[in-house]
Amino acid sequence: MNADNRACMLTPDSQYVELAVEVFAMLADATRVRLILALRHGELPVNALAEKAGKSAAAVSQHLAKMRLARMVATRQEGTRVYYRLQDGHAWQLVADAIHQAEHALGTAPHHSAAPHSGSQEAGA
């Protein structure tokens, strides 16, 4: 897909708007955001993820199941252990951008241009 086609998808009438909302809804949970942050450096088993998220393994397993259905995480089984990893970098990028936005909202982030991205930058996103 070339940059022109990607830029066309970034319009208010894009067919992907509703799907994008579903992605945001999936990320609208602090435990899931913590799981994505924990997985950004590589795969981990449920117990390690539960410890990092401060939740029970059962609760984390339920979140991971939803994230797997949404194709945000993938699994690898080794014996009886299941390891989770991010499917790709998109969920991590969304979380990173949201955290940076929160830093800006609180005034704790360095200032930079408030101008919206140009079309060429959006197309590369």
Side-chain angles (χ1 to χ4, degrees), residues 33-84:
V33 169
R34 287 184 175 98
L35 293 173
I36 288 171
L37 291 170
L39 289 168
R40 75 181 183 267
H41 295 301
E43 64 182 20
L44 290 169
V46 173
N47 288 337
L49 288 166
E51 185 177 316
K52 288 181 180 287
K55 300 289 181 181
S56 71
V60 166
S61 290
Q62 289 180 351
H63 285 287
L64 289 167
K66 290 178 183 179
M67 293 169 72
R68 187 174 178 194
L69 286 173
R71 295 187 177 151
M72 289 185 171
V73 298
T75 60
R76 175 181 67 84
Q77 190 160 352
E78 189 174 289
T80 59
R81 261 195 162 163
V82 178
Y83 291 85
Y84 287 84

Side-chain angles (χ1 to χ4, degrees), residues 10 20-21 38 45 47 56 63 65 70-71 78 84 88 97 104 118 121:
L10 298 176
V21 170
N47 288 337
S56 71
H63 285 287
R71 295 187 177 151
E78 189 174 289
Y84 287 84
D88 53 46
D97 287 343
H104 281 279
S118 71
Q121 287 175 329

Side-chain angles (χ1 to χ4, degrees), residues 1-11 14-16 123:
M1 184 180 309
N2 65 34
D4 290 336
N5 287 342
R6 283 184 287 193
C8 291
M9 290 185 270
L10 298 176
T11 61
S14 171
Q15 64 182 345
Y16 298 103

